[in-house]
Amino acid sequence: MVRKINLGDIFELKTEKGLAYIQYVLKDPYYSYLVRVLDGVFKTRPSVLGELVGKKEIYYQFVPPLLYELNKGVIKHVGCEEVPKKFKSIPEFRMIGMTDNNQKVNFWRLKKNGKERFIGKMTAKYLDTSTLGLSGIGAIINNIDEGYTPRNDWHVTGLIPEIHAKLFEKSRWDVDNKDKK
């Protein structure tokens, strides 16, 4: 049975740590479905999802395969609550401006309502702003299990996760040795 989704729908995700929740808050014609990753991981489903929705989210992310993952049973629809006013339009996102050879971010930009502006170095004001990008449910589950927040994003901290470091070293080796092949 093909399901439809509605603004405010809440979905349950099974993670290694327990049950986590996302809320569908906006559909953008370019980026697709925007979800809030709600705060908390639980052994059992909370009896009042409205309290969970009323708290600040960990982060928000565009998830193009949201409907597909619902229809495949990867996520489960568990309720619907009012969408916070902040999400009546696309919220502000931060964007990586440019990185150096070591993947350190040299400057950041912000995007809101289709307009971008340069902010330079990351400041405390934007540490909790979500990074613009597209994701799948698997990546969100991994982020929840790893305790990801925009504040501890490796682009901000400079601490490259092991899996990224391995990929970076391979690609760096390929670039550094392309003439030796």
Side-chain angles (χ1 to χ4, degrees):
M1 177 174 110
V2 175
R3 298 180 183 129
K4 293 181 180 181
I5 58 176
N6 298 300
L7 290 176
D9 280 352
I10 301 169
F11 302 98
E12 186 174 81
L13 310 130
K14 291 182 181 176
T15 76
E16 288 181 11
K17 292 184 175 181
L19 302 174
Y21 298 89
I22 59 175
Q23 182 186 33
Y24 165 51
V25 294
L26 187 135
K27 176 81 186 275
D28 180 73
Y30 182 75
Y31 291 110
S32 193
Y33 303 103
L34 180 63
V35 301
R36 300 172 61 213
V37 178
L38 302 177
D39 194 11
V41 178
F42 307 87
K43 290 183 181 186
T44 60
R45 184 178 306 145
S47 58
V48 182
L49 292 170
E51 290 176 8
L52 190 59
V53 170
K55 295 179 183 177
K56 183 177 180 343
E57 65 281 343
I58 299 171
Y59 68 99
Y60 40 92
Q61 183 74 57
F62 285 103
V63 183
L66 184 67
L67 185 57
Y68 172 82
E69 302 213 46
L70 172 65
N71 286 313
K72 289 294 181 187
V74 176
I75 58 176
K76 180 180 181 180
H77 181 268
V78 294
C80 188
E81 294 286 337
E82 188 174 341
V83 173
K85 291 177 185 174
K86 169 182 177 178
F87 295 100
K88 296 299 179 187
S89 63
I90 297 176
E92 186 169 63
F93 281 93
R94 65 186 187 200
M95 300 167 48
I96 295 168
M98 189 166 85
T99 60
D100 64 18
N101 288 340
N102 294 314
Q103 298 301 301
K104 182 180 179 210
V105 177
N106 290 329
F107 66 86
W108 292 86
R109 299 173 298 163
L110 294 176
K111 185 170 187 172
K112 183 166 177 107
N113 298 325
K115 295 182 179 158
E116 294 181 27
R117 66 185 174 97
F118 176 86
I119 62 166
K121 299 289 182 193
M122 180 56 63
T123 64
K125 181 177 180 179
Y126 301 111
L127 281 175
D128 295 317
T129 303
S130 293
T131 303
L132 180 62
L134 307 176
S135 185
I137 295 299
I140 290 175
I141 289 170
N142 185 63
N143 284 347
I144 291 166
D145 285 334
E146 296 294 322
Y148 171 85
T149 68
R151 185 175 286 264
N152 69 20
D153 183 306
W154 69 275
H155 293 99
V156 173
T157 65
L159 303 173
I160 301 174
E162 186 177 331
I163 189 167
H164 287 39
K166 286 178 182 176
L167 293 171
F168 175 64
E169 284 303 314
K170 179 184 182 319
S171 64
R172 179 88 181 259
W173 186 90
D174 289 343
V175 169
D176 290 346
N177 293 289
K178 71 179 180 181
D179 296 331
K180 297 177 186 175
K181 291 184 180 179

